[in-house]
Amino acid sequence: ISVDQAKRAYSEVPAQISSLGKKLGQLKPGMLADLIILEKNPSEVDPDELINLTPEKVMANGNWVVILG
C-alpha cells in the first residue's frame, strides 16, 4: 500500500470506526492531536527505508513530549 493509504489506515479509519471521527484522526483545529515528526518525509524515501525512520518530535494529547534515548 502507499504511504498515504497507510497514514489513513492508522489515523482516519480507526477514528471513524470508533465513532470518534469528530475528535480524532485528522490534523485540523479543535481535533485531539497525537502525532510524530519524522526525520525524513516518508513519501520521499525508499519503502525499504521506512522502518529505519525515527521521530524527531512527538505530540501526545496536544502536548509536545520529551523523546528519551
Side-chain angles (χ1 to χ4, degrees), residues 11-12 14-26 28-32:
S11 59
E12 292 177 40
Q16 292 169 354
I17 291 171
S18 67
S19 301
L20 296 172
K22 294 183 180 183
K23 294 257 182 214
L24 301 171
Q26 298 181 53
K28 293 168 72 173
M31 304 288 266
L32 300 174

Side-chain angles (χ1 to χ4, degrees), residues 1-62:
I1 66 173
S2 71
V3 171
D4 287 337
Q5 289 171 321
K7 181 178 66 174
R8 188 168 186 279
Y10 282 92
S11 59
E12 292 177 40
V13 172
Q16 292 169 354
I17 291 171
S18 67
S19 301
L20 296 172
K22 294 183 180 183
K23 294 257 182 214
L24 301 171
Q26 298 181 53
L27 292 176
K28 293 168 72 173
M31 304 288 266
L32 300 174
D34 289 345
L35 60 95
I36 60 172
I37 306 291
L38 296 171
E39 61 185 341
K40 295 180 184 175
N41 183 339
S43 298
E44 297 175 355
V45 299
D46 185 278
D48 292 331
E49 291 182 45
L50 290 172
I51 196 166
N52 297 319
L53 293 181
T54 57
E56 291 186 343
K57 294 184 179 183
V58 175
M59 179 178 281
N61 200 25

